[in-house]
Amino acid sequence: MVKSISITLSTLLLVLVLGFGLSSNSASASVHITNFSGTTTASTTSATKKYHHFYSSKETVNVKFKVDKFIKTHNNKRVYIQVQKSNGIWWTTKTTKSVTSTSQISFNVTAGEGDYRLVVYDAVERTGYDKPPLYYAKSSQYSGTVTGL
């Protein structure tokens, strides 16, 4: 009698542990990876870019990006955000989005597990001169979140 109760309890415990393990595995659909923010650097001699590196253990990453403020602009108020993935040797661009307002955008990139980086830069506007300043100085403040799906 005591032996059958202990076998029943140990079987019940094993079933509960396995059930919890399987249900928690499927419940973790999204994982917060990182928050990022920054300000692009105004330059009249080159098109500067900001980089934000992260690692994703998920197949798909969701990027939420918002231009908080266009600090310095000319005619074209546009900020580009690229999602790039490393294959160990070089970076490959998976997608490029452009933002022309201060509304938040959200997009997914399915490229598998691995090292990623976000590249943020203002749209280049050339001055037309053959000597510096070659570009109009532009700067923007931005922020966002990366989530693994």
Side-chain angles (χ1 to χ4, degrees):
M1 169 110 172
V2 172
K3 190 173 184 177
S4 69
I5 290 175
S6 69
I7 290 173
T8 306
L9 287 175
S10 63
T11 305
L12 180 63
L13 182 62
L14 181 64
V15 168
L16 286 173
V17 167
L18 286 175
F20 178 72
L22 292 175
S23 67
S24 67
N25 220 2
S26 62
S28 63
S30 66
V31 176
H32 177 74
I33 296 175
T34 188
N35 293 328
F36 62 94
S37 63
T39 304
T40 58
T41 306
S43 174
T44 58
T45 57
S46 65
T48 59
K49 298 180 178 182
K50 291 287 188 174
Y51 298 93
H52 302 277
H53 294 263
F54 63 93
Y55 177 84
S56 176
S57 61
K58 298 288 191 174
E59 291 293 315
T60 302
V61 293
N62 173 265
V63 178
K64 292 180 181 165
F65 179 79
K66 181 179 187 312
V67 174
D68 299 320
K69 183 179 177 184
F70 290 102
I71 298 171
K72 207 175 206 184
T73 63
H74 189 63
N75 293 332
N76 187 3
K77 287 185 180 181
R78 183 179 305 269
V79 175
Y80 290 102
I81 178 168
Q82 289 183 337
V83 177
Q84 298 180 343
K85 186 170 187 283
S86 173
N87 66 3
I89 299 172
W90 59 79
W91 294 95
T92 305
T93 300
K94 296 301 178 183
T95 189
T96 302
K97 301 289 182 185
S98 68
V99 180
T100 57
S101 69
T102 55
S103 300
Q104 178 176 296
I105 65 165
S106 178
F107 58 94
N108 293 338
V109 176
T110 302
E113 179 180 338
D115 291 318
Y116 288 84
R117 74 179 180 184
L118 300 174
V119 184
V120 182
Y121 57 97
D122 287 295
V124 174
E125 285 189 74
R126 296 189 61 85
T127 58
Y129 305 132
D130 59 350
K131 295 179 183 176
L134 301 175
Y135 303 99
Y136 290 104
K138 297 170 79 173
S139 180
S140 302
Q141 185 178 357
Y142 61 88
S143 61
T145 302
V146 178
T147 306
L149 304 177

